[in-house]
Amino acid sequence: MKLTQITKVYHNKNNVIHALKDINLMIPNYGITYIIGPSGCGKTTLLNIISGKDTDYEGQVENCGLVECVEQNLNLIENMSVLDNLLLVNNDPKKIIDMLKHFELNDFMDSKVKKLSVGQKKRIQIIRSLLVDCDYLICDEPTSALDYENSHLVMELLKEVSLKKGVIIVTHELALLDEYTGHVIHMGKGIIEDSNYDYQDEPRILKKDISLHHIKEHFSMIIKTIQTRYVSLLVKILSILLIGCFVFVGVSLFPSLDQMIHQNGKWQTHDNLIITQSRDHQMSSKTGDLYDDQDIQIVKDNINGVIGYQFGWQAAQVNFNSVFYPEMYIDDIREAISTMKPEDQNKDFYQTCLSILENDVKLYESESGQSFPKDIPLYMDYRNIETFQDGEYGFVLDLVHFSDYGFKVQFYQLFKGCQIDLLAGRMTENNREVVISQNLALELYKAKHLDSMEQLIGTEEVLNMNSPGLSEEFKIVGIAYAQNKDDYMIFLQEGTMEDLLSDHHITNKDKVKYLYVSFISDVQEDETAIAENINQTLNSNKSEFVVYTDSILADEQATENHQTLYFYLLVGGGLFALTVIYILILFFDRKRYRKETYIYKHYGYQPFIIYGIIIGLSLLTAFALQMIFSTILYNLMNTIAAQFGYPLLSSHSLLSYLLTSFITATLIIIIEGVYYYATCTSKHS
């Protein structure tokens, strides 16, 4: 080997360092060549140039052939067995066993390298280098960490090897030079100070680089690598699985997120609910107007953007025992009393009603001095008089429960032809069908232990109105995106509740007046403008229509919508945290990864193929687990979505999983690719 005018310069922030200056050197093809000198004189730099590790230098290296290194650092795959480490470079088990016996290590053949002592590891590394059929063998402090006996064992073997190839030894143990003679090169500060060898050497045919291994050998190495790193691989697979879960949430929810924010978000805060309240903000029937079917029809016919309505007071918020009152005049009441059933005349309820009527009439006549007018309406509840059907309670819609599970609901009646966004199913086609909000659907789905919420479509559920006998069955035909964190909602066709109450309680529903009416606006429309139009059209004197969030009933804190922020924090934050964890796994494994990458490349393997296939298998395993547990994942995502007020996943489609797999795989491949590039471009240490 011939080195001509070799110069190596290091640059740092402050100055230029000449590690080697015009080195001219001849290294024989056979025998031992010692390189000695003080620390920092450039020995390691020279070795790196000879071995081919360092190519950034000036000058020329000729006839270097195939160079193998016994490095001072223990470059062994720690979790592999001794035999597997040696099979990296030689597929002849007999030769390997002979070498192990020669170094008295045959009993450790199946042991993992990490369980050996430093001296034993050193001998394994020397054996591996000796198994390589090279032209030059470089040994950097080959006897360090070895006892006297093993030091001489190694030197005897190197002496034997030097008969067939050039052996270059860097050492500080000068006693070796006397016992094992050879060519000695003395180095000073970046220069050759002395060389005692007069170069005369026999030429020979030099070998090329170590040949690349076949695909079959790569797969064998892949299996061994998986076996040695199964713990970290399992952690990676779990991380990929969790990352895939968060990506799945984003993939499944993002398409409907914009729709939910701009449209169904109004259902969350009741922004699309336009309610009536007294102008003096006093919750009393004496200070508010009363409304009827005709008023609702006027709004329906004249106000664009109104899609439905509610009627009645919300009894939990204002202290009214009834949601509707019959509008009756004095003659109507007297007629009703005169036809009272004899068996009911002694009941306290009716006595109370009569007392109220008599007192009101007497008070009016005593104060005015005239008979009670026949054209003044009286709003009293005579629900068990013959004019009305039987019932024992003085309230009807104080509480409305949907299904036998007792979910308290708010009912919304939609005008025919009006649509709301549906998660599943269809809109109602008659007054025996109902659409339910997604949070109610979720509760029913959990209570019934169903496999999916879609199974609710077509089922019959009971609407109970807290009065004996007042219950009806309705068929669920749709699930709405709409929901409110405080309410379970049901959507019916217009007139359904009026007919239901009329069938059970009132013979003449034309005399019913509503104490409270709420109109539902289209979420695409301006609800404030709609409220103003309703006020102008109905021209109410004592009441006004306002958007719920502007009313005295609204709690400002409760109406703030933070769902978008929650979504991004949950999905984005979770995905970011898991990605950081994955990167940290790689970071803490970097030394082993860098060492193994160097060993694979040095001995003819392609790390890109090995790691690429392992990453691919990890991704496939994670995706397979995700598919296997798809139902559990689907239900979990629905629960999380409902908790944060988001549209639930209508189905766990193949397209969602394919897109999830693609995004997750792309993210992992980018991370691993950058990590692999950083490893391959960094200097081996």
Side-chain angles (χ1 to χ4, degrees):
M1 184 187 298
K2 183 179 180 181
L3 283 74
T4 306
Q5 298 293 312
I6 300 298
T7 299
K8 174 67 178 180
V9 178
Y10 292 107
H11 298 273
N12 59 28
K13 293 181 179 180
N14 300 318
N15 50 28
V16 176
I17 300 173
H18 287 80
L20 298 175
K21 302 175 185 178
D22 296 329
I23 299 293
N24 295 288
L25 190 63
M26 302 289 287
I27 297 176
N29 293 337
Y30 303 99
I32 297 176
T33 300
Y34 295 100
I35 299 177
I36 61 175
S39 297
C41 68
K43 298 190 300 295
T44 301
T45 303
L46 182 61
L47 287 185
N48 288 337
I49 291 174
I50 294 173
S51 66
K53 286 184 188 178
D54 189 351
T55 58
D56 183 19
Y57 59 88
E58 295 178 8
Q60 190 172 5
V61 178
E62 300 177 84
N63 302 323
C64 57
L66 178 59
V67 179
E68 173 63 11
C69 297
V70 180
E71 299 183 60
Q72 194 168 358
N73 294 327
L74 295 171
N75 282 321
L76 298 168
I77 301 178
E78 297 282 332
N79 282 337
M80 276 190 187
S81 68
V82 169
L83 179 62
D84 287 336
N85 268 274
L86 299 179
L87 286 172
L88 275 169
V89 298
N90 196 304
N91 290 321
D92 186 351
K94 184 178 183 303
K95 189 173 183 180
I96 292 173
I97 292 171
D98 289 342
M99 292 289 284
L100 289 171
K101 286 180 179 178
H102 189 76
F103 278 87
E104 300 178 357
L105 289 170
N106 54 305
D107 292 339
F108 300 95
M109 182 171 59
D110 296 320
S111 300
K112 288 187 177 182
V113 170
K114 66 181 181 180
K115 295 182 178 179
L116 303 181
S117 66
V118 174
Q120 290 171 326
K121 291 178 183 179
K122 190 75 174 182
R123 283 183 277 164
I124 295 298
Q125 183 167 261
I126 292 171
I127 292 172
R128 186 184 63 187
S129 296
L130 293 175
L131 288 169
V132 177
D133 188 14
C134 59
D135 296 298
Y136 295 94
L137 181 63
I138 297 176
C139 302
D140 190 0
E141 301 287 354
T143 58
S144 65
L146 297 179
D147 56 25
Y148 178 82
E149 183 179 350
N150 280 300
S151 294
H152 282 271
L153 184 65
V154 168
M155 288 305 299
E156 288 292 338
L157 192 57
L158 291 177
K159 181 179 178 181
E160 182 181 341
V161 169
S162 69
L163 298 176
K164 299 180 180 179
K165 63 187 68 179
V167 177
I168 304 167
I169 299 175
V170 172
T171 183
H172 286 95
E173 298 182 35
L174 300 182
L176 296 176
L177 278 64
D178 297 329
E179 191 168 353
Y180 301 94
T181 58
H183 172 208
V184 180
I185 298 172
H186 292 267
M187 287 193 67
K189 193 68 174 177
I191 61 173
I192 303 296
E193 292 184 340
D194 183 33
S195 174
N196 66 354
Y197 183 73
D198 184 15
Y199 185 85
Q200 290 182 355
D201 207 2
E202 298 179 9
R204 65 174 178 181
I205 299 175
L206 300 175
K207 301 178 180 63
K208 297 182 179 180
D209 292 338
I210 295 176
S211 59
L212 294 176
H213 291 277
H214 297 296
I215 293 295
K216 181 179 178 181
E217 293 170 314
H218 274 82
F219 274 104
S220 176
M221 184 54 58
I222 288 167
I223 293 171
K224 292 174 183 177
T225 303
I226 291 173
Q227 290 173 340
T228 60
R229 304 179 66 179
Y230 68 92
V231 175
S232 62
L233 283 174
L234 287 176
V235 174
K236 277 189 177 182
I237 290 170
L238 178 61
S239 299
I240 294 170
L241 177 62
L242 293 175
I243 289 172
C245 290
F246 276 88
V247 173
F248 177 74
V249 178
V251 166
S252 302
L253 294 186
F254 268 126
S256 58
L257 180 62
D258 183 68
Q259 179 186 33
M260 192 284 299
I261 293 172
H262 296 293
Q263 297 180 24
N264 298 310
K266 289 188 176 181
W267 290 102
Q268 290 282 338
T269 58
H270 279 324
D271 264 342
N272 65 325
L273 192 63
I274 300 169
I275 71 170
T276 180
Q277 68 178 19
S278 61
R279 294 183 184 274
D280 60 4
H281 295 178
Q282 296 297 315
M283 288 297 168
S284 168
S285 61
K286 294 180 180 179
T287 59
D289 295 300
L290 296 170
Y291 301 92
D292 55 23
D293 288 344
Q294 186 179 2
D295 295 319
I296 293 174
Q297 190 65 40
I298 290 171
V299 172
K300 175 185 176 183
D301 294 340
N302 295 280
I303 309 296
N304 292 327
V306 177
I307 62 172
Y309 64 100
Q310 284 181 311
F311 62 77
W313 286 105
Q314 294 184 354
Q317 293 174 317
V318 291
N319 295 320
F320 276 89
N321 288 330
S322 184
V323 296
F324 68 89
Y325 276 31
E327 178 182 343
M328 302 184 72
Y329 297 89
I330 189 67
D331 288 344
D332 296 323
I333 296 174
R334 284 173 176 158
E335 181 183 354
I337 292 174
S338 68
T339 58
M340 185 184 297
K341 296 176 183 179
E343 62 270 24
D344 292 333
Q345 289 183 6
N346 294 325
K347 287 189 176 180
D348 291 340
F349 175 76
Y350 301 107
Q351 295 299 326
T352 302
C353 290
L354 288 172
S355 298
I356 294 172
L357 176 61
E358 290 173 358
N359 290 335
D360 284 348
V361 171
K362 287 178 181 178
L363 179 62
Y364 179 85
E365 291 178 345
S366 64
E367 290 181 353
S368 64
Q370 55 184 344
S371 299
F372 195 90
K374 295 184 178 182
D375 59 351
I376 293 181
L378 295 175
Y379 302 98
M380 302 190 64
D381 197 348
Y382 289 90
R383 199 170 291 115
N384 271 352
I385 303 176
E386 194 176 46
T387 313
F388 303 85
Q389 294 185 13
D390 290 343
E392 296 182 0
Y393 295 92
F395 56 87
V396 177
L397 295 183
D398 189 20
L399 292 174
V400 181
H401 291 93
F402 188 69
S403 85
D404 294 332
Y405 298 97
F407 297 117
K408 183 181 176 182
V409 299
Q410 289 288 344
F411 64 89
Y412 294 77
Q413 300 188 100
L414 301 178
F415 296 134
K416 291 180 182 178
C418 292
Q419 302 283 325
I420 58 174
D421 294 322
L422 295 181
L423 179 70
R426 59 173 174 82
M427 295 299 298
T428 59
E429 295 176 354
N430 57 63
N431 63 2
R432 310 311 299 166
E433 296 178 341
V434 64
V435 171
I436 62 176
S437 60
Q438 59 170 317
N439 55 344
L440 177 57
L442 179 63
E443 293 300 328
L444 287 172
Y445 148 79
K446 291 191 294 187
K448 293 174 176 291
H449 306 290
L450 302 178
D451 293 330
S452 70
M453 288 191 300
E454 287 82 354
Q455 292 180 349
L456 291 169
I457 305 297
T459 60
E460 299 276 348
E461 296 296 337
V462 177
L463 185 67
N464 295 302
M465 282 178 259
N466 222 37
S467 182
L470 185 47
S471 63
E472 291 288 339
E473 284 192 352
F474 289 88
K475 179 188 286 187
I476 298 175
V477 296
I479 301 172
Y481 275 119
Q483 68 175 2
N484 184 275
K485 64 180 181 179
D486 299 319
D487 300 320
Y488 297 127
M489 298 186 286
I490 59 171
F491 300 91
L492 311 101
Q493 276 200 352
E494 60 176 306
T496 300
M497 295 302 292
E498 290 91 329
D499 291 340
L500 181 60
L501 295 172
S502 177
D503 291 343
H504 282 270
H505 287 285
I506 306 167
T507 56
N508 185 1
K509 69 174 184 177
D510 293 335
K511 292 189 175 183
V512 170
K513 293 288 186 179
Y514 308 127
L515 291 172
Y516 181 88
V517 173
S518 301
F519 289 104
I520 307 162
S521 69
D522 189 332
V523 291
Q524 299 279 13
E525 302 292 336
D526 183 351
E527 57 277 358
T528 302
I530 292 173
E532 292 175 357
N533 290 339
I534 294 174
N535 284 326
Q536 292 175 5
T537 302
L538 294 183
N539 195 23
S540 302
N541 295 320
K542 298 178 181 178
S543 300
E544 63 178 341
F545 286 87
V546 296
V547 178
Y548 180 86
T549 49
D550 296 329
S551 73
I552 62 174
L553 296 179
D555 178 358
E556 289 185 9
Q557 251 184 337
T559 58
E560 292 179 0
N561 189 355
H562 298 296
Q563 276 73 26
T564 308
L565 177 61
Y566 293 154
F567 182 86
Y568 285 112
L569 287 177
L570 176 67
V571 178
L575 185 59
F576 176 78
L578 287 169
T579 303
V580 169
I581 290 172
Y582 192 89
I583 293 173
L584 287 175
I585 293 171
L586 296 178
F587 177 79
F588 287 114
D589 201 34
R590 69 192 185 284
K591 289 184 178 179
R592 181 172 67 175
Y593 190 93
R594 186 181 294 120
K595 180 194 291 187
E596 292 181 8
T597 300
Y598 168 76
I599 293 171
Y600 291 147
K601 288 180 69 176
H602 186 71
Y603 292 115
Y605 291 92
Q606 293 288 346
F608 180 80
I609 295 175
I610 294 173
Y611 294 133
I613 292 176
I614 290 174
I615 292 166
L617 291 173
S618 300
L619 287 168
L620 289 175
T621 303
F623 297 151
L625 290 172
Q626 194 168 335
M627 288 293 290
I628 291 171
F629 298 105
S630 61
T631 302
I632 297 174
L633 176 63
Y634 166 72
N635 294 335
L636 176 63
M637 294 306 104
N638 275 340
T639 302
I640 294 174
Q643 291 295 325
F644 287 95
Y646 283 93
L648 276 67
L649 314 181
S650 57
S651 64
H652 40 291
S653 64
L654 179 61
L655 180 61
S656 294
Y657 281 109
L658 289 176
L659 189 55
T660 296
S661 301
F662 174 77
I663 294 173
T664 305
T666 301
L667 177 63
I668 297 301
I669 289 170
I670 289 173
I671 294 172
E672 291 279 359
V674 171
Y675 182 70
Y676 177 78
Y677 176 79
T679 300
C680 290
T681 54
S682 64
K683 291 186 176 180
H684 174 69
S685 57

